[in-house]
Amino acid sequence: MADTQGLAGSPDQETMSHEESTEESEEDDSEEEPKLKYERLSNGVSEILQEDAASCMTVHEKFLAMGTHSGKVYLLDICGNMTQRFDISTVKINQISLDESGEHVGVCAEDGKVQVFGLYSREGLHEIFDCPIKIVAVHPQFGRSACKQFVTGGKKLILYERTWLNRWKTTILHEGEGTITNIKWRGNLIAWSNNMGIKILDIITRQRITNVPRDDTSLRPDMYPCSLFWKDHLTLVIGWGKSVKICSVKERHASEIRDLPNRYVEIVSQFDTEFFISGIAPLCDQFVMLFFVKEASDNASKELCARPRLDIIQPQADSCEEVSSDAITVRGFQENECRDYRLEYSEGESLFYIISPRDVVVAKERDQDDHIDWLLGRKKYEEALMAAEISQKNIKRHEVLDIGLAYITHLVEKGDYDMAARKCQKILGKNMKLWEDEVYRFKKIGQLKAISKYLPRGDLRLRPAIYEMILDEFLRTDYEGFSTLIREWPGDLYNNKTIVRALNTHLNRDPSNRTLLKALAELHTYDQCYSQALEIYLTLQHKEVFDLIHKHNLFSSIKDKIVLLMDFDTEKAVDMLLDNEDKISIDKVIEELKNRPELQHVYLHKLFKRDHHKGQKYHEKQISLYAEYDRPNLLPFLRDSTHCPLEKALEICQQRNFVEETVFLLSRMGNSRRALQMIMEELRDVDKAIEFAKEQDDAELWEDLILYSIDKPPFITGLLNNIGTHVDPILLIHRIKEGMEIPNLRDSLVKILQDYNLQILLREGCKKILVSDSLALLKKMHRTQSRAMLVDEDNICEVCLSPILPTDSSKPLGVVVFHCRHMFHRECLPVGNTMSPAYFCNICSAKHRGPGSAILDMKK
């Protein structure tokens, strides 16, 4: 519950403060944000209430009307300034009623006086009753001629209607149930309360719809009056004692009417409250309720009047939920009773007036400015900044920038320098002056490092001196941080020469500091002194040296530094040199590496992998390089190179006793027998010898292999297992000496037989496939040749090109039709032999035998 204890004054108005509370500070920190804000209605009201006491008030959207205990009625503007005064009586004004237009007013007093008059006209009614009139209510549309009606409530509920002769007709609507204390008129329905309960009357039919009895009959109606308001034309809300009822007026079905009224009332919701109700008003779908509160005193037998409470309640079917609750400090609350408080509200506006004899307090919904004030008061700057940004067009008393600057100040005071610096980016935006002010503030507190990461470096830039000041700070205290800023900041943010001079001063004291040297190289790069930067990078063996060379095309500067580059990173250096052969030639690289043959080999090897022909002039040199540094790749090189001198290669391989390479070279030079001999004698590898013989596919080599292996049982076993598909195994078996022990001979013979059986099976399978295919093709050919062929007048002779069928039917028919579907006249076809004439298709025969073949056959 927000405790509204103190008042903060201003020249024009006094404002209720939620921050001055009698509660402990811990409770203030944990309280929820209030929903309403409060202002004391001052100006003319303060002057009136210094000498008099308020008894009632009615609110219109344009003005206020307040009645006092001395019988006066004051018209006030919204700010509380008096605009008009009426002396109605000498005793307490009980009620003031206004129509919807605000042009007609009804007033009743404790001495029985009733006045209904126009504020802007002379028409009116003055009536004096013999008893106090507690309430008066004019018709909401009183200004219309057909609605000149009002009701008064004392011991009777009396309706006044003006007739066509401008006379007033009275009708007693109800009596006999005690004093009438409240009346609310909405549309055609009038609701009133008396000692027994609440009644609702249809003014058109003059039928009383319902009677809602009051719950707590022990309470005196004059001390704890009933509070009523119409939520809409058919919903009445009743607050009496500690009970709230929501009543809905509904139409009765025609079949149920009989002698009953056309309408009936259903109580849709009912709940109890903790305190006594002094007033109730609508707020959207919620209720604003004014409570009279008593609290225990030191003397347990006596209760004291406490500050009244204004709560926002969310009604439910049989209960309610408290949304907010504020204790309101009004003047003289210790002496007030429940009947002394009233709650009035302005239709269409969320304005609520708490009326007490000595004070009038206005409650209104808090706007976005109030929300921001509340957040700032609790140091919730980030939420306040977010709220201001979202509602930037609606806030009037706050600026987003001011809140942001206050947030930065708060973070700095709290010691969260990094967060404060980060927020500068968003809050300061492109305001260069504010940026520079913040930089100097961070310098003053020794936190330039914190703000350095967030300084603008894009379109908005500060003066170079700002950046130089920060770099100097880092150079004095943090070499790594200095190097990071040099790498991340664009070189045109500051004066490079100034920074280079300062950096050289530090390098004079520590010339081998890698961090400072790296930063110096970056600065030389910004100054386009690429040669100096390259020398530093090479000295440091820094990985960015290759990026620098590529980015700034420094190949002319590295021609004499190839060895350094390759010592730093051989792979990257070789790739870079090969990718840029047009800038650094192969010959130049080889010349530079003449004293480093191992690097020559790496370069030439990668060159050969890329293109077998580019470095052909160095292939002879590569033989010795491969032999010395990379023998595993020597044989692949010899296989792939077509420019390698074989004699030179053979000499080197024989000198180094490289058997496999020598075997390859001998076979490539045509000396296969010598190569096979080396395999058998030096490698003693029968599998490799057999593989070599298979590759060469030479009968003499197989003969040499058999002769060499005939006295070596392991070799014989290998031959028996592998030569079955290349050489007749009988040739080998016949040469095996009788009695010689051969390992795994039985398995070898079984394998030979299995291989033979497999060959036989393969041949038989192939034969079956061939026979099946031949038979299928023969049947297809037979079907094709057995088909009839149509010969009609559209066909022509392929030789004479005249119609194949004669036009004269008396002539003999002589037509030859071949299976290829070519047609000829018999006399147009050549006859090879007159004894046994055989015809053939000239066209198809010419395709198979070539041009002129048919003529040659004729000559034969």
Side-chain angles (χ1 to χ4, degrees):
M1 181 177 75
D3 230 9
T4 311
Q5 174 78 1
L7 297 171
S10 67
D12 298 325
Q13 63 183 18
E14 298 178 63
T15 304
M16 280 287 183
S17 171
H18 282 274
E19 297 175 3
E20 296 177 24
S21 171
T22 57
E23 304 293 334
E24 295 295 329
S25 61
E26 291 81 7
E27 294 182 12
D28 287 342
D29 292 338
S30 62
E31 69 178 352
E32 295 183 1
E33 181 179 0
K35 303 297 182 182
L36 302 171
K37 63 178 179 179
Y38 302 90
E39 296 177 359
R40 176 163 282 131
L41 198 61
S42 55
N43 300 324
V45 174
S46 299
E47 297 174 5
I48 294 168
L49 297 184
Q50 283 179 359
E51 300 177 356
D52 206 343
S55 60
C56 61
M57 177 182 280
T58 297
V59 178
H60 190 270
E61 61 182 10
K62 299 176 182 178
F63 62 92
L64 309 175
M66 182 176 70
T68 67
H69 281 261
S70 63
K72 297 177 178 59
V73 173
Y74 296 92
L75 297 187
L76 312 165
D77 63 16
I78 300 300
C79 296
N81 298 300
M82 184 178 69
T83 60
Q84 203 168 354
R85 166 180 155 177
F86 301 96
D87 293 325
I88 303 297
S89 175
T90 58
V91 295
K92 174 184 174 184
I93 301 295
N94 285 330
Q95 180 64 27
I96 302 171
S97 176
L98 295 168
D99 66 351
E100 290 181 356
S101 66
E103 297 179 1
H104 299 85
V105 60
V107 183
C108 64
E110 189 68 21
D111 59 0
K113 288 183 179 180
V114 175
Q115 292 190 24
V116 177
F117 56 91
L119 292 176
Y120 309 106
S121 64
R122 295 180 176 273
E123 64 174 341
L125 169 71
H126 300 264
E127 189 78 25
I128 300 177
F129 292 86
D130 58 358
C131 65
I133 300 300
K134 297 294 184 181
I135 196 79
V136 63
V138 299
H139 193 291
Q141 304 292 329
F142 190 87
R144 296 169 57 185
S145 59
C147 301
K148 296 294 185 180
Q149 297 174 320
F150 68 92
V151 291
T152 61
K155 293 182 179 180
K156 302 176 184 179
L157 179 67
I158 302 175
L159 172 66
Y160 287 79
E161 300 175 279
R162 194 165 70 176
T163 64
W164 62 281
L165 293 175
N166 285 334
R167 295 184 178 182
W168 291 92
K169 173 187 173 183
T170 62
T171 305
I172 298 175
L173 299 177
H174 185 72
E175 64 179 329
E177 292 186 356
T179 303
I180 296 170
T181 56
N182 200 349
I183 300 176
K184 292 296 178 184
W185 194 333
R186 180 73 173 258
N188 297 325
L189 298 176
I190 299 176
W192 72 92
S193 63
N194 56 28
N195 293 354
M196 304 303 294
I198 298 92
K199 279 75 175 173
I200 300 177
L201 177 80
D202 188 333
I203 195 65
I204 302 298
T205 63
R206 305 294 170 92
Q207 287 183 324
R208 200 170 72 187
I209 296 173
T210 189
N211 173 35
V212 181
R214 65 187 179 118
D215 293 335
D216 191 350
T217 57
S218 64
L219 297 176
R220 287 174 53 186
D222 59 329
M223 296 297 292
Y224 298 91
C226 176
S227 297
L228 302 172
F229 79 86
W230 286 99
K231 186 177 179 183
D232 53 47
H233 284 288
L234 297 174
T235 305
L236 178 68
V237 180
I238 305 168
W240 203 343
K242 295 183 179 181
S243 173
V244 177
K245 294 179 182 177
I246 303 174
C247 304
S248 178
V249 179
K250 298 185 177 181
E251 295 288 339
R252 198 183 300 274
H253 194 272
S255 61
E256 301 175 352
I257 292 178
R258 298 174 188 169
D259 297 330
L260 299 174
N262 295 337
R263 298 181 180 182
Y264 69 97
V265 171
E266 179 183 339
I267 299 176
V268 296
S269 178
Q270 179 175 349
F271 55 88
D272 293 332
T273 60
E274 183 181 357
F275 305 105
F276 293 108
I277 300 169
S278 292
I280 187 167
L283 177 63
C284 299
D285 61 339
Q286 299 170 334
F287 296 156
V288 176
M289 302 185 70
L290 179 63
F291 291 114
F292 172 69
V293 181
K294 286 189 175 183
E295 59 185 5
S297 65
D298 296 336
N299 183 358
S301 62
K302 186 178 180 181
E303 288 184 326
L304 299 178
C305 297
R307 289 178 294 163
R309 281 179 30 162
L310 192 69
D311 290 7
I312 298 177
I313 299 297
Q314 179 66 57
Q316 297 172 354
D318 54 358
S319 63
C320 64
E321 180 183 351
E322 182 184 286
V323 177
S324 73
S325 181
D326 300 329
I328 313 299
T329 301
V330 296
R331 295 188 180 100
F333 68 86
Q334 300 89 342
E335 302 170 1
N336 294 338
E337 295 292 337
C338 183
R339 63 182 177 182
D340 295 323
Y341 293 110
R342 296 200 180 198
L343 179 65
E344 298 292 339
Y345 63 96
S346 174
E347 292 279 357
E349 296 183 50
S350 297
L351 289 175
F352 305 94
Y353 294 82
I354 300 103
I355 301 101
S356 68
R358 295 296 179 184
D359 215 349
V360 179
V361 175
V362 184
K364 61 179 70 176
E365 279 193 288
R366 296 168 61 85
D367 57 20
Q368 202 64 14
D369 281 301
D370 299 314
H371 174 59
I372 293 171
D373 281 334
W374 188 84
L375 292 172
L376 292 175
R378 282 146 187 81
K379 300 187 182 302
K380 299 181 178 181
Y381 290 96
E382 187 164 11
E383 295 177 36
L385 182 61
M386 188 181 302
E389 289 172 342
I390 293 172
S391 306
Q392 193 165 357
K393 295 181 179 179
N394 299 325
I395 56 178
K396 300 175 181 177
R397 293 186 285 106
H398 294 93
E399 293 291 338
V400 174
L401 181 59
D402 294 337
I403 297 171
L405 292 174
Y407 186 22
I408 294 173
T409 301
H410 168 70
L411 291 172
V412 169
E413 291 173 352
K414 198 170 70 170
D416 193 351
Y417 303 113
D418 185 73
M419 178 62 75
R422 187 182 299 124
K423 291 299 178 183
C424 286
Q425 284 185 310
K426 178 181 178 182
I427 294 167
L428 304 183
K430 296 184 177 182
N431 192 320
M432 191 170 73
K433 181 180 182 306
L434 290 178
W435 266 110
E436 294 190 359
D437 291 343
E438 289 301 321
V439 170
Y440 283 114
R441 173 158 71 167
F442 274 75
K443 174 179 173 57
K444 186 176 180 180
I445 61 177
Q447 292 295 330
L448 279 177
K449 291 182 180 180
I451 202 171
S452 64
K453 296 181 287 185
Y454 307 105
L455 288 181
R457 35 185 132 148
D459 296 337
L460 172 71
R461 297 189 175 186
L462 309 181
R463 291 182 295 110
I466 298 294
Y467 300 100
E468 292 166 13
M469 177 176 68
I470 293 174
L471 288 173
D472 184 66
E473 173 75 15
F474 274 90
L475 188 57
R476 287 187 290 104
T477 60
D478 183 2
Y479 287 165
E480 289 292 339
F482 174 80
S483 178
T484 300
L485 290 183
I486 293 296
R487 185 171 61 253
E488 293 179 352
W489 283 2
D492 55 351
L493 287 179
Y494 45 85
N495 188 322
N496 273 11
K497 291 182 172 54
T498 301
I499 303 302
V500 168
R501 284 196 297 271
L503 182 55
N504 283 326
T505 302
H506 285 263
L507 279 172
N508 290 336
R509 296 196 294 265
D510 188 3
S512 60
N513 189 295
R514 293 179 62 85
T515 302
L516 294 181
L517 286 171
K518 180 182 172 184
L520 183 59
E522 293 275 359
L523 291 170
H524 283 319
T525 303
Y526 293 146
D527 276 340
Q528 298 183 359
C529 301
Y530 300 122
S531 298
Q532 299 177 34
L534 184 62
E535 288 181 8
I536 295 174
Y537 278 134
L538 285 173
T539 303
L540 298 175
Q541 293 192 339
H542 195 275
K543 61 181 180 180
E544 291 185 9
V545 66
F546 296 102
D547 295 333
L548 182 70
I549 294 168
H550 278 291
K551 186 176 181 180
H552 301 290
N553 196 20
L554 304 179
F555 295 99
S556 59
S557 302
I558 64 168
K559 289 182 179 179
D560 57 345
K561 299 178 178 63
I562 293 174
V563 175
L564 290 175
L565 286 169
M566 293 190 71
D567 282 338
F568 170 43
D569 192 328
T570 305
E571 291 293 324
K572 276 192 175 181
V574 171
D575 287 338
M576 181 187 69
L577 293 170
L578 293 176
D579 290 339
N580 297 275
E581 290 178 34
D582 56 328
K583 298 166 184 171
I584 303 179
S585 66
I586 298 172
D587 296 336
K588 177 62 178 176
V589 175
I590 297 301
E591 180 184 352
E592 287 294 319
L593 299 176
K594 61 185 177 182
N595 297 324
R596 298 290 298 275
E598 74 280 6
L599 298 180
Q600 277 186 338
H601 165 69
V602 174
Y603 176 78
L604 290 172
H605 173 65
K606 280 214 167 187
L607 175 64
F608 181 75
K609 296 281 281 186
R610 290 194 179 193
D611 190 331
H612 293 346
H613 306 288
K614 267 191 178 178
Q616 61 185 26
K617 61 187 287 187
Y618 298 106
H619 282 199
E620 181 176 350
K621 183 179 184 66
Q622 281 186 269
I623 298 170
S624 57
L625 292 174
Y626 275 111
E628 181 67 29
Y629 301 107
D630 191 8
R631 184 190 169 185
N633 283 313
L634 175 57
L635 187 56
F637 170 74
L638 295 174
R639 285 198 181 105
D640 295 336
S641 173
T642 57
H643 307 286
C644 175
L646 299 181
E647 294 82 0
K648 178 68 174 176
L650 181 61
E651 179 184 349
I652 292 173
C653 291
Q654 286 177 340
Q655 287 176 356
R656 294 177 176 269
N657 196 26
F658 292 168
V659 178
E660 292 186 13
E661 291 81 356
T662 303
V663 168
F664 169 76
L665 290 169
L666 287 172
S667 65
R668 187 168 175 183
M669 296 169 70
N671 196 350
S672 300
R673 302 185 76 173
R674 173 61 184 148
L676 180 62
Q677 182 182 357
M678 287 191 69
I679 293 172
M680 293 186 294
E681 291 180 355
E682 297 189 30
L683 295 179
R684 304 186 66 82
D685 189 338
V686 64
D687 294 329
K688 187 166 287 190
I690 294 170
E691 189 66 31
F692 181 78
K694 287 180 181 179
E695 290 176 0
Q696 302 300 319
D697 196 18
D698 186 348
E700 292 184 0
L701 282 181
W702 283 110
E703 182 67 24
D704 291 344
L705 181 55
I706 292 171
L707 289 175
Y708 180 79
S709 305
I710 203 64
D711 58 346
K712 300 177 182 62
F715 276 50
I716 293 175
T717 301
L719 286 170
L720 289 173
N721 288 334
N722 292 283
I723 68 172
T725 56
H726 296 272
V727 180
D728 189 354
I730 299 300
L731 297 176
L732 176 59
I733 293 171
H734 283 167
R735 297 187 185 187
I736 297 173
K737 295 178 182 180
E738 189 174 348
M740 179 182 289
E741 291 186 7
I742 300 172
N744 301 319
L745 177 60
R746 188 188 66 174
D747 294 340
S748 299
L749 293 174
V750 169
K751 187 175 184 305
I752 290 172
L753 293 174
Q754 287 175 343
D755 291 345
Y756 179 75
N757 287 334
L758 181 60
Q759 290 182 13
I760 297 299
L761 289 173
L762 288 172
R763 288 178 182 178
E764 290 179 353
C766 291
K767 180 180 177 183
K768 288 180 180 179
I769 293 170
L770 287 172
V771 170
S772 176
D773 288 349
S774 299
L775 181 59
L777 291 172
L778 180 61
K779 288 180 178 179
K780 181 179 179 181
M781 184 182 71
H782 183 266
R783 285 196 305 272
T784 303
Q785 294 180 349
S786 298
R787 290 177 183 169
M789 286 177 282
L790 176 66
V791 180
D792 58 15
E793 59 273 9
D794 293 333
N795 299 111
I796 60 173
C797 174
E798 300 291 346
V799 175
C800 65
L801 303 179
S802 58
I804 197 70
L805 297 178
T807 55
D808 188 0
S809 59
S810 62
K811 291 183 178 181
L813 177 63
V815 176
V816 178
V817 181
F818 293 98
H819 290 291
C820 60
R821 301 194 177 262
H822 293 132
M823 302 179 185
F824 302 89
H825 293 126
R826 184 182 289 115
E827 59 270 19
C828 293
L829 285 173
V831 180
N833 190 348
T834 56
M835 299 299 294
S836 57
Y839 298 103
F840 56 88
C841 176
N842 283 355
I843 296 174
C844 296
S845 298
K847 288 180 181 178
H848 291 296
R849 293 182 290 174
S853 58
I855 299 174
L856 292 175
D857 289 342
M858 290 175 64
K859 289 181 178 180
K860 291 179 182 178

